[in-house]
Amino acid sequence: MIVIVDYGVGNLGSIVNMLKKVGVKSAASSDPDVIMHADKLILPGIGAFDSGMEKLNERGLVPLLNQLVLTDKVPVLGLCLGLQLMTKRSEEGQLAGLGWFDAETVRYKFGPEQGNLKVPHMGWNTIEIRRPHPLLSELEPESRFYFVHSFYVRCNNPQAVLAETDYGGYFHSVVGEGNIMGAQFHPEKSHKYGMRLLKNYAEKVK
Amino acid sequence: MIKPRVIPCLLLQDQGLVKTVKFKAPKYLGDPINIVRIFNDKEVDELVFLDIKATNENRSPNFDLLRNIGSECFMPLGYGGGIRSMDDVRKLLGIGIEKIILNTSAVENPTLIRSAADYAGSSSVVISIDVKKNIVGKYEVHTRSGRKGTGLDPVRQAVEVEKMGAGEILINSIDRDGMMEGYDLELIRHVSEAVDIPVVACGGAGNIGHLRDAIKLGGASAAAAGSMFVFQGPLRGVLISYPSPQDLKSLLEA
């Protein structure tokens, strides 16, 4: 079963419902006993970096997640803030991130040459696949995803960049390194395209 | 090129969805969850829910119902109705509402606009402005589900709320609501010319040509509609619909 780590950020109902719609059983839980037995994990999230890390720490989930992800190599998919928390640090906060892969979370900085684009990057946008990956299989070229974020993930290992999105320049919108994966957008708010990605995660990622 | 958004604007009354004419005579449409599921299948760009009774009943949003709606929505969701405090704003964002829509509060307690924008970012804060022409044909902003005239001019109000941190304006014509005869293009044009933030046209759409007019002639970034997406035929039978991708593409063509 896929366990969506419920650490008190946002409504996880749409992720559970979307997985259900593609025939995948999942549960949102903060219970270590449930999380421990997950076949795969989803780390969701909205809101600020430090507040997300504090909530994970308050629930005492960090050592367990480290064990599952780093030692037992259980697949994990970070979504939006969940992805950002998996990096080493963020320009949004003071606290250390989970540091599961070699990346930082940085803020958009736009000047006049990018037409003073608005932050947050909010709305439907497309992705350009850089590296084939089971997570991104069978996604049509016109696939669009819903983004809401002011910070983005910058991977130091180019091999980890699975897809990029153009917003005043390309940023890393889907990343993956071994059992650790993440997407900057909200698949659960991205109709059939998000459904495809979640289905791929459930069925094609080993 | 950014594709103009087309947004079903749905009205909540008690536990059900209704559609009004000129903000009056609400007609029952059905259960909101069922209708959300239909709009999921039609892959709509965005959904807007407005609780048309919350403010006048002096109550907060129906968080339980909205949580259920948020769990079913596979697209971004905006909500307005009875939002009076930062506590309401935080709760709504927490249950999966992407956009907070303020109307009466934007007039009666405008500091909430700035607080909400500071907390959630301007893009998450939409100000809805309901407008009615008065007896001498002058546009006037109304609040409290259209019941209360404020004496404010809609263009000036739009400029004011933009300064206070609003990220989007939903401009709604009370006179055109439910008529399906087209938007008030003059009103939409005046507002979209006066502000830099996106303007969503609402009130009066009856066909796809109207949606195109709001974008092409009115200068709106998005077109919202109610009746057009929930009624079918001259007898206004309830049938949920949404333009096909081909029809939506025509919005871009001159």
Side-chain angles (χ1 to χ4, degrees), chain A residues 107-120:
Chain A
R107 191 173 211 285
Y108 282 118
K109 292 174 196 82
F110 294 131
E113 64 274 21
Q114 292 96 358
N116 291 309
L117 278 172
K118 302 215 161 117
V119 177

Side-chain angles (χ1 to χ4, degrees), chain B residues 70-81:
Chain B
S71 297
E72 292 294 336
C73 262
F74 298 155
M75 76 291 269
L77 177 60
Y79 169 80

Side-chain angles (χ1 to χ4, degrees), chain A residues 8-21 46-47 117-124 144 146 148 150 167 186-193 195, chain B residues 3 5 37 39-46 66-77 93-99 120-124 196-198:
Chain A
V9 288
N11 181 359
L12 310 180
S14 52
I15 304 179
V16 175
N17 280 326
M18 193 173 256
L19 283 165
K20 192 164 118 195
K21 197 155 180 195
I46 53 163
L117 278 172
K118 302 215 161 117
V119 177
H121 169 221
M122 181 165 184
W124 293 93
R144 56 194 185 119
Y146 191 74
V148 195
S150 303
Y167 191 65
H186 289 276
E188 76 281 12
K189 293 284 176 180
S190 304
H191 291 308
K192 66 178 177 196
Y193 312 108
M195 230 175 264
Chain B
K3 186 169 126 299
R5 290 166 290 151
R37 288 184 179 149
F39 280 121
N40 274 340
D41 291 340
K42 298 188 180 297
E43 295 177 32
V44 308
D45 293 324
E46 202 169 312
L66 292 168
R67 175 179 282 278
N68 290 337
I69 290 174
S71 297
E72 292 294 336
C73 262
F74 298 155
M75 76 291 269
L77 177 60
L93 293 166
I95 60 177
I97 306 288
E98 275 80 19
K99 293 188 179 185
S122 283
S123 302
S124 297
D196 290 326
I197 52 179

